Amino acid sequence: MARLLDPGSLNVRLMLERPVETPDGQGGATVGFAALATLWARIEPVAARAEEAAGAQRIAVTHRIWLRRRGDLAGGMRLRKGARLFVIHAFRDPDETGRYMLCDCEETRP
């Protein structure tokens, strides 16, 4: 059985954003994000690792973010806390009760 979550621990205010494509006038599109909802959440840091790509070092920080259940979560969405961005890689109902969603996220730089 999954551990129970105290609803009072959802103490961080986040903005849920969805990707929006805008035509660029040349047959392509640019992808931006539009606010979808403001919600309460719990952020749990999981791991940090250093990666090197193209000669530059990048720090990847992963988090588990708990939310109340939503039926409209989809791939490509992200969560925002001020200037911090969390890309949602996967989400699930951790105890299959339909009360909460657990999102596996990676913090990115804007």
Side-chain angles (χ1 to χ4, degrees):
M1 180 177 184
R3 66 181 179 180
L4 298 177
L5 178 70
D6 173 16
S9 68
L10 301 176
N11 60 2
V12 177
R13 200 72 165 150
L14 298 177
M15 178 69 65
L16 178 63
E17 299 177 337
R18 63 180 174 84
V20 176
E21 290 187 0
T22 305
D24 64 5
Q26 298 179 353
T30 58
V31 178
F33 286 85
L36 184 63
T38 303
L39 41 87
W40 290 101
R42 175 181 176 178
I43 301 175
E44 297 176 355
V46 175
R49 66 184 180 283
E51 300 173 342
E52 189 172 334
Q57 189 164 9
R58 174 185 174 277
I59 305 296
V61 182
T62 57
H63 302 273
R64 278 188 212 104
I65 300 181
W66 292 80
L67 313 168
R68 290 198 183 275
R69 187 188 175 287
R70 297 188 61 91
D72 59 353
L73 282 181
M77 289 183 164
R78 69 183 187 187
L79 296 161
R80 175 185 292 274
K81 180 184 179 202
R84 296 174 69 188
L85 297 173
F86 303 93
V87 176
I88 300 173
H89 290 296
F91 55 90
R92 62 195 174 281
D93 182 350
D95 59 1
E96 297 185 1
T97 61
R99 295 179 301 160
Y100 301 104
M101 298 300 293
L102 180 57
C103 302
D104 296 322
C105 301
E106 184 174 341
E107 188 170 357
T108 61
R109 300 284 178 220

